[in-house]
Coordinates of all heavy atoms in Angstrom, one line a residue:
M637 N 0.8 -1.2 0.0 CA 0.0 0.0 0.0 C 0.8 1.3 0.0 O 1.9 1.2 0.6 CB -0.9 0.0 1.2 CG -1.8 1.3 1.4 SD -3.3 0.7 2.2 CE -4.3 2.1 1.7
S638 N 0.4 2.2 -0.7 CA 1.2 3.5 -0.8 C 1.2 4.3 0.5 O 0.2 4.1 1.3 CB 0.6 4.3 -1.9 OG 0.7 3.7 -3.1
E639 N 2.1 5.2 0.7 CA 2.2 6.0 1.9 C 1.7 7.4 1.5 O 1.9 7.8 0.3 CB 3.6 6.1 2.5 CG 4.1 4.7 3.0 CD 3.4 4.2 4.2 OE1 2.9 5.1 5.1 OE2 3.2 3.0 4.4
W640 N 1.3 8.3 2.4 CA 0.9 9.5 2.1 C 2.2 10.4 1.8 O 3.2 10.2 2.5 CB 0.2 10.2 3.3 CG -1.2 9.7 3.6 CD1 -1.6 8.9 4.5 CD2 -2.4 10.0 2.8 NE1 -2.9 8.6 4.3 CE2 -3.4 9.3 3.3 CE3 -2.6 10.8 1.6 CZ2 -4.8 9.3 2.8 CZ3 -3.9 10.9 1.2 CH2 -5.0 10.1 1.7
I641 N 2.0 11.3 0.8 CA 3.2 12.1 0.4 C 2.8 13.6 0.6 O 1.8 14.1 0.3 CB 3.5 11.9 -1.1 CG1 3.7 10.4 -1.5 CG2 4.6 12.8 -1.6 CD1 3.7 10.0 -2.9
D642 N 3.7 14.3 1.4 CA 3.5 15.6 1.6 C 3.5 16.4 0.3 O 4.5 16.4 -0.5 CB 4.6 16.0 2.6 CG 4.4 17.5 3.2 OD1 4.1 18.4 2.4 OD2 4.6 17.6 4.3
V643 N 2.5 17.4 0.1 CA 2.5 18.2 -1.1 C 3.7 19.2 -1.3 O 4.0 19.6 -2.3 CB 1.2 18.9 -1.3 CG1 0.0 18.0 -1.3 CG2 0.9 19.9 -0.1
N644 N 4.4 19.4 -0.1 CA 5.4 20.3 -0.1 C 6.8 19.6 -0.5 O 7.7 20.2 -0.9 CB 5.7 21.0 1.2 CG 4.6 21.9 1.6 OD1 4.1 22.7 0.8 ND2 4.1 21.8 2.9
E645 N 6.7 18.2 -0.5 CA 7.7 17.4 -0.9 C 7.8 16.9 -2.4 O 8.8 17.0 -3.0 CB 8.0 16.2 0.0 CG 8.3 16.5 1.4 CD 8.5 15.4 2.3 OE1 8.6 14.3 1.8 OE2 8.4 15.5 3.5
K646 N 6.6 16.6 -2.8 CA 6.4 16.1 -4.2 C 5.0 16.3 -4.6 O 4.0 16.1 -3.8 CB 6.9 14.7 -4.2 CG 6.7 13.9 -5.6 CD 7.2 12.5 -5.5 CE 7.0 11.9 -6.9 NZ 7.3 10.4 -6.8
L647 N 4.8 16.5 -5.8 CA 3.4 16.7 -6.5 C 3.3 15.4 -7.5 O 4.2 15.0 -8.2 CB 3.3 17.9 -7.1 CG 3.3 19.2 -6.3 CD1 3.2 20.4 -7.1 CD2 2.1 19.1 -5.4
P648 N 2.0 15.0 -7.7 CA 1.7 14.1 -8.7 C 1.8 14.6 -10.2 O 2.0 15.8 -10.3 CB 0.3 13.6 -8.4 CG -0.4 14.8 -7.8 CD 0.7 15.4 -7.1
E649 N 1.8 13.8 -11.1 CA 1.8 14.2 -12.5 C 0.5 15.0 -12.7 O -0.6 14.7 -12.1 CB 1.8 13.0 -13.4 CG 3.0 12.2 -13.4 CD 4.3 12.9 -14.0 OE1 4.1 13.6 -15.0 OE2 5.4 12.7 -13.4
R650 N 0.6 16.1 -13.4 CA -0.5 16.9 -13.7 C -1.6 16.1 -14.3 O -1.4 15.3 -15.3 CB -0.1 18.1 -14.6 CG 0.6 19.0 -14.1 CD 1.0 20.1 -15.0 NE 1.9 21.2 -14.4 CZ 1.5 22.2 -13.6 NH1 0.3 22.3 -13.4 NH2 2.4 22.9 -13.1
G651 N -2.9 16.2 -13.9 CA -4.1 15.5 -14.5 C -4.2 14.1 -13.9 O -5.2 13.4 -14.3
E652 N -3.3 13.6 -13.1 CA -3.5 12.2 -12.6 C -4.3 12.2 -11.4 O -4.0 12.9 -10.4 CB -2.0 11.8 -12.2 CG -2.0 10.4 -11.5 CD -0.7 10.0 -10.9 OE1 0.3 10.8 -11.0 OE2 -0.6 8.9 -10.3
P653 N -5.4 11.4 -11.4 CA -6.3 11.3 -10.2 C -5.5 10.6 -9.1 O -4.8 9.7 -9.3 CB -7.4 10.5 -10.7 CG -7.4 10.6 -12.3 CD -6.0 10.8 -12.6
V654 N -5.6 11.3 -7.9 CA -4.9 10.8 -6.8 C -5.9 10.9 -5.6 O -6.9 11.7 -5.6 CB -3.7 11.4 -6.5 CG1 -2.7 11.1 -7.5 CG2 -3.9 12.9 -6.3
L655 N -5.6 10.3 -4.5 CA -6.4 10.5 -3.1 C -5.6 11.7 -2.5 O -4.3 11.7 -2.5 CB -6.3 9.3 -2.3 CG -7.2 8.1 -2.7 CD1 -7.0 6.9 -1.7 CD2 -8.6 8.5 -2.8
V656 N -6.3 12.6 -2.0 CA -5.7 13.6 -1.1 C -6.3 13.8 0.3 O -7.5 13.4 0.5 CB -5.8 15.0 -1.9 CG1 -5.2 15.1 -3.2 CG2 -7.3 15.5 -2.0
Y657 N -5.6 14.2 1.3 CA -6.0 14.5 2.5 C -6.2 16.0 2.6 O -5.1 16.8 2.6 CB -5.0 13.9 3.6 CG -5.6 14.1 5.0 CD1 -6.6 13.3 5.5 CD2 -5.2 15.2 5.7 CE1 -7.1 13.5 6.8 CE2 -5.7 15.4 7.0 CZ -6.6 14.5 7.5 OH -7.1 14.8 8.8
G658 N -7.3 16.5 2.9 CA -7.6 18.0 2.9 C -7.0 18.6 4.2 O -6.9 18.0 5.3
S659 N -6.8 19.8 4.1 CA -6.2 20.7 5.1 C -7.2 20.8 6.3 O -6.8 21.0 7.4 CB -5.8 22.1 4.8 OG -6.9 22.8 4.2
R660 N -8.5 20.6 6.0 CA -9.6 20.6 7.1 C -10.1 19.2 7.5 O -11.1 19.0 8.0 CB -10.7 21.5 6.7 CG -10.3 22.8 6.5 CD -11.5 23.7 6.1 NE -11.2 25.2 5.9 CZ -12.0 26.0 5.4 NH1 -13.2 25.6 5.0 NH2 -11.7 27.3 5.3
G661 N -9.2 18.1 7.0 CA -9.7 16.8 7.3 C -10.4 16.4 6.0 O -10.8 17.0 5.0
G662 N -10.6 15.0 6.0 CA -11.4 14.5 4.9 C -10.5 14.0 3.7 O -9.4 14.5 3.6
I663 N -10.9 12.9 3.1 CA -10.2 12.3 2.0 C -10.9 12.5 0.7 O -12.2 12.2 0.8 CB -9.8 10.9 2.3 CG1 -8.8 10.8 3.6 CG2 -9.2 10.2 1.1 CD1 -8.6 9.3 4.0
Y664 N -10.3 12.9 -0.3 CA -11.0 13.2 -1.6 C -10.2 12.6 -2.8 O -9.0 12.4 -2.6 CB -11.1 14.7 -1.8 CG -11.7 15.5 -0.7 CD1 -10.9 16.1 0.2 CD2 -13.1 15.6 -0.6 CE1 -11.4 16.7 1.3 CE2 -13.6 16.3 0.5 CZ -12.8 16.9 1.5 OH -13.3 17.6 2.5
T665 N -10.9 12.5 -3.9 CA -10.2 12.1 -5.1 C -10.0 13.5 -5.8 O -10.9 14.2 -6.0 CB -11.0 11.2 -6.1 OG1 -11.5 10.0 -5.3 CG2 -10.2 10.8 -7.3
A666 N -8.8 13.8 -6.3 CA -8.5 15.1 -6.8 C -7.4 14.9 -7.9 O -6.7 13.9 -8.1 CB -8.1 16.0 -5.8
V667 N -7.2 16.0 -8.6 CA -6.2 16.2 -9.6 C -5.4 17.5 -9.4 O -6.0 18.5 -8.9 CB -6.5 16.1 -11.1 CG1 -7.1 14.7 -11.4 CG2 -7.6 17.1 -11.4
Y668 N -4.1 17.6 -9.6 CA -3.4 18.7 -9.6 C -3.1 19.2 -11.0 O -2.8 18.4 -12.0 CB -2.1 18.5 -9.0 CG -1.2 19.7 -8.8 CD1 -1.4 20.6 -7.9 CD2 -0.1 20.0 -9.7 CE1 -0.7 21.8 -7.8 CE2 0.7 21.2 -9.6 CZ 0.4 22.0 -8.6 OH 1.2 23.1 -8.5
G669 N -3.4 20.5 -11.2 CA -3.2 21.1 -12.7 C -3.9 22.3 -13.0 O -4.2 23.1 -12.0
N670 N -4.1 22.6 -14.2 CA -4.8 23.8 -14.7 C -6.2 23.5 -15.1 O -6.5 22.6 -15.8 CB -4.0 24.3 -15.9 CG -2.5 24.5 -15.6 OD1 -2.2 24.7 -14.4 ND2 -1.6 24.5 -16.5
R671 N -7.1 24.4 -14.7 CA -8.5 24.4 -15.1 C -9.1 25.8 -15.0 O -8.8 26.6 -14.2 CB -9.4 23.5 -14.1 CG -9.1 21.9 -14.4 CD -10.2 21.3 -13.7 NE -10.1 20.0 -13.9 CZ -10.8 19.0 -13.2 NH1 -11.7 19.3 -12.5 NH2 -10.6 17.7 -13.5
G672 N -9.9 26.1 -15.9 CA -10.7 27.3 -15.9 C -9.9 28.6 -15.7 O -10.3 29.5 -15.0
G673 N -8.8 28.7 -16.3 CA -8.0 29.8 -16.2 C -7.1 29.8 -14.9 O -6.3 30.9 -14.8
F674 N -7.1 28.9 -14.0 CA -6.3 28.8 -12.9 C -5.3 27.7 -13.1 O -5.5 26.7 -13.6 CB -7.2 28.4 -11.7 CG -8.3 29.4 -11.3 CD1 -9.5 29.2 -11.8 CD2 -8.0 30.5 -10.5 CE1 -10.6 30.1 -11.5 CE2 -8.9 31.4 -10.1 CZ -10.2 31.3 -10.6
S675 N -4.1 28.2 -12.7 CA -3.0 27.2 -13.0 C -2.4 26.7 -11.6 O -2.5 27.5 -10.6 CB -1.9 27.8 -13.8 OG -1.4 28.9 -13.2
N676 N -1.8 25.5 -11.7 CA -1.2 25.0 -10.5 C -2.1 24.9 -9.2 O -1.8 25.4 -8.1 CB 0.1 25.7 -10.2 CG 1.2 25.7 -11.3 OD1 1.2 24.7 -12.0 ND2 1.8 26.8 -11.6
Q677 N -3.2 24.4 -9.5 CA -4.3 24.2 -8.4 C -4.7 22.7 -8.2 O -4.5 21.9 -9.1 CB -5.5 25.1 -8.7 CG -5.3 26.5 -8.9 CD -5.0 27.2 -7.7 OE1 -5.5 26.9 -6.5 NE2 -4.2 28.3 -7.7
W678 N -5.2 22.5 -7.1 CA -5.8 21.1 -6.8 C -7.3 21.3 -7.0 O -7.9 22.1 -6.6 CB -5.5 20.7 -5.3 CG -4.2 20.3 -5.0 CD1 -3.1 21.1 -4.6 CD2 -3.7 19.0 -5.2 NE1 -2.0 20.3 -4.4 CE2 -2.3 19.1 -4.8 CE3 -4.1 17.8 -5.6 CZ2 -1.4 17.9 -4.8 CZ3 -3.3 16.7 -5.6 CH2 -2.0 16.8 -5.2
W679 N -7.9 20.2 -7.7 CA -9.3 20.2 -8.0 C -9.9 18.9 -7.6 O -9.4 17.8 -7.9 CB -9.4 20.4 -9.4 CG -8.8 21.6 -10.0 CD1 -7.5 21.8 -10.4 CD2 -9.4 22.9 -10.0 NE1 -7.3 23.1 -10.7 CE2 -8.5 23.8 -10.6 CE3 -10.7 23.4 -9.6 CZ2 -8.8 25.2 -10.6 CZ3 -10.9 24.8 -9.8 CH2 -10.0 25.6 -10.3
K680 N -10.9 19.0 -6.8 CA -11.7 17.8 -6.3 C -12.5 17.2 -7.6 O -12.9 18.0 -8.4 CB -12.8 18.1 -5.3 CG -12.3 18.5 -4.0 CD -13.4 18.8 -3.0 CE -12.9 19.2 -1.8 NZ -14.1 19.6 -0.9
L681 N -12.5 15.9 -7.7 CA -13.2 15.2 -8.7 C -14.6 14.9 -8.1 O -14.7 14.6 -7.0 CB -12.6 14.0 -9.2 CG -11.2 14.2 -9.8 CD1 -10.6 12.9 -10.2 CD2 -11.3 15.1 -11.0
N682 N -15.6 14.9 -9.0 CA -17.0 14.5 -8.6 C -17.5 15.2 -7.4 O -18.0 14.6 -6.5 CB -17.0 12.9 -8.4 CG -16.5 12.2 -9.5 OD1 -16.8 12.4 -10.6 ND2 -15.7 11.1 -9.2
S683 N -17.4 16.6 -7.4 CA -17.8 17.3 -6.2 C -18.3 18.7 -6.9 O -17.8 19.2 -7.8 CB -16.6 17.6 -5.4 OG -16.9 18.5 -4.4
N684 N -19.2 19.3 -6.1 CA -19.7 20.7 -6.4 C -18.7 21.7 -6.0 O -18.7 22.8 -6.5 CB -21.0 20.9 -5.8 CG -22.2 20.2 -6.3 OD1 -22.0 19.8 -7.5 ND2 -23.2 19.8 -5.6
S685 N -17.8 21.4 -5.0 CA -16.8 22.3 -4.6 C -15.5 21.8 -5.3 O -14.8 20.9 -4.7 CB -16.6 22.2 -3.0 OG -15.5 23.0 -2.6
H686 N -15.1 22.4 -6.2 CA -14.0 22.0 -7.1 C -12.6 22.2 -6.6 O -11.7 21.4 -6.5 CB -14.0 22.5 -8.5 CG -15.3 22.1 -9.2 ND1 -15.6 20.9 -9.5 CD2 -16.3 22.9 -9.5 CE1 -16.8 20.8 -10.1 NE2 -17.2 22.0 -10.2
Y687 N -12.3 23.3 -6.0 CA -11.1 23.7 -5.5 C -10.8 23.1 -4.1 O -11.7 23.0 -3.2 CB -10.8 25.2 -5.3 CG -9.5 25.5 -4.7 CD1 -8.2 25.4 -5.5 CD2 -9.4 26.0 -3.4 CE1 -7.1 25.8 -5.0 CE2 -8.1 26.3 -2.9 CZ -7.0 26.1 -3.6 OH -5.8 26.4 -3.1
C688 N -9.6 22.5 -3.9 CA -9.3 21.9 -2.5 C -7.8 22.3 -2.2 O -7.1 22.7 -3.0 CB -9.6 20.4 -2.4 SG -8.5 19.4 -3.5
N689 N -7.5 22.2 -0.9 CA -6.2 22.6 -0.3 C -5.7 21.4 0.5 O -5.7 21.3 1.7 CB -6.4 23.8 0.5 CG -5.0 24.3 0.9 OD1 -4.0 24.0 0.2 ND2 -5.0 25.0 2.0
P690 N -5.2 20.4 -0.2 CA -4.7 19.1 0.5 C -3.3 19.4 1.1 O -2.5 20.2 0.7 CB -4.6 18.1 -0.5 CG -4.2 18.8 -1.8 CD -5.0 20.1 -1.7
T691 N -3.0 18.6 2.2 CA -1.7 18.6 2.8 C -0.9 17.4 2.3 O 0.3 17.5 2.3 CB -1.8 18.5 4.4 OG1 -2.4 17.3 4.7 CG2 -2.6 19.7 4.9
H692 N -1.6 16.3 1.9 CA -0.9 15.1 1.5 C -1.7 14.4 0.4 O -2.9 14.7 0.2 CB -0.8 14.1 2.7 CG 0.1 14.5 3.8 ND1 -0.2 15.4 4.7 CD2 1.3 14.2 4.1 CE1 0.7 15.8 5.5 NE2 1.7 15.0 5.1
W693 N -1.0 13.5 -0.4 CA -1.7 12.8 -1.4 C -1.0 11.4 -1.5 O 0.0 11.1 -1.0 CB -1.6 13.5 -2.8 CG -0.1 13.6 -3.3 CD1 0.8 14.6 -3.0 CD2 0.5 12.7 -4.3 NE1 2.0 14.3 -3.7 CE2 1.8 13.2 -4.5 CE3 0.0 11.6 -5.0 CZ2 2.6 12.6 -5.4 CZ3 0.9 11.0 -5.8 CH2 2.2 11.4 -6.0
M694 N -1.8 10.5 -2.3 CA -1.1 9.2 -2.6 C -1.8 8.6 -3.9 O -3.0 9.1 -4.2 CB -1.5 8.2 -1.4 CG -2.8 7.7 -1.2 SD -3.0 6.3 -0.2 CE -2.1 6.8 1.3
P695 N -1.2 7.8 -4.6 CA -1.7 7.3 -5.9 C -3.0 6.5 -5.5 O -3.2 5.9 -4.4 CB -0.7 6.3 -6.4 CG 0.6 6.7 -5.7 CD 0.2 7.3 -4.4
L696 N -4.0 6.4 -6.4 CA -5.1 5.5 -6.3 C -4.7 4.2 -6.3 O -3.8 3.7 -7.0 CB -6.1 5.7 -7.5 CG -6.8 7.1 -7.5 CD1 -7.6 7.3 -8.7 CD2 -7.7 7.5 -6.3
P697 N -5.4 3.2 -5.6 CA -5.1 1.8 -5.6 C -5.6 1.3 -7.0 O -6.4 1.9 -7.7 CB -6.0 1.3 -4.5 CG -7.1 2.2 -4.3 CD -6.6 3.6 -4.6
E698 N -5.1 0.2 -7.3 CA -5.6 -0.5 -8.5 C -7.0 -1.0 -8.4 O -7.4 -1.4 -7.3 CB -4.6 -1.8 -8.8 CG -3.3 -1.5 -9.1 CD -3.2 -0.8 -10.5 OE1 -3.9 -1.1 -11.4 OE2 -2.3 0.1 -10.6
P699 N -7.8 -0.9 -9.4 CA -9.2 -1.3 -9.3 C -9.3 -2.9 -9.2 O -8.3 -3.6 -9.6 CB -9.8 -0.8 -10.6 CG -8.6 -0.7 -11.5 CD -7.5 -0.4 -10.7
P700 N -10.4 -3.3 -8.7 CA -10.5 -4.8 -8.5 C -10.7 -5.5 -9.8 O -11.1 -4.9 -10.8 CB -11.7 -4.9 -7.6 CG -12.5 -3.7 -7.9 CD -11.6 -2.6 -8.1
E701 N -10.3 -6.8 -9.8 CA -10.6 -7.6 -11.0 C -12.0 -7.9 -11.0 O -12.6 -8.2 -9.9 CB -9.7 -8.9 -11.0 CG -8.3 -8.7 -11.2 CD -7.6 -10.0 -11.3 OE1 -8.2 -11.0 -11.8 OE2 -6.4 -10.0 -11.1
V702 N -12.7 -7.8 -12.2 CA -14.1 -8.0 -12.3 C -14.2 -9.3 -13.2 O -13.7 -9.1 -14.5 CB -14.8 -6.9 -12.8 CG1 -16.3 -7.1 -13.0 CG2 -14.7 -5.6 -11.9
N703 N -14.9 -10.3 -12.8 CA -15.2 -11.4 -13.7 C -16.3 -11.1 -14.5 O -17.4 -10.7 -14.1 CB -15.5 -12.7 -12.8 CG -14.3 -13.1 -12.0 OD1 -13.1 -12.9 -12.4 ND2 -14.5 -13.7 -10.8
K704 N -16.1 -11.3 -15.9 CA -17.2 -10.9 -16.8 C -17.8 -12.2 -17.4 O -17.3 -13.2 -17.4 CB -16.7 -10.1 -18.0 CG -16.2 -8.8 -17.6 CD -15.8 -8.0 -18.7 CE -15.3 -6.6 -18.2 NZ -14.8 -5.7 -19.2

């Protein structure tokens, strides 16, 4: 399992979905990058509140195998 990475030490690839731990608590799926005229920002995925301010991030786990 991956460990949490401090955003001050390393950032994920731009546009790569990752898990983030927010500065006010809570875990979200987010991406780091440019959107809507804003550059170098964190953006929550699947949320009405798009901007977020995480302290840490980690890669998403691999999806489960699905038998078809």
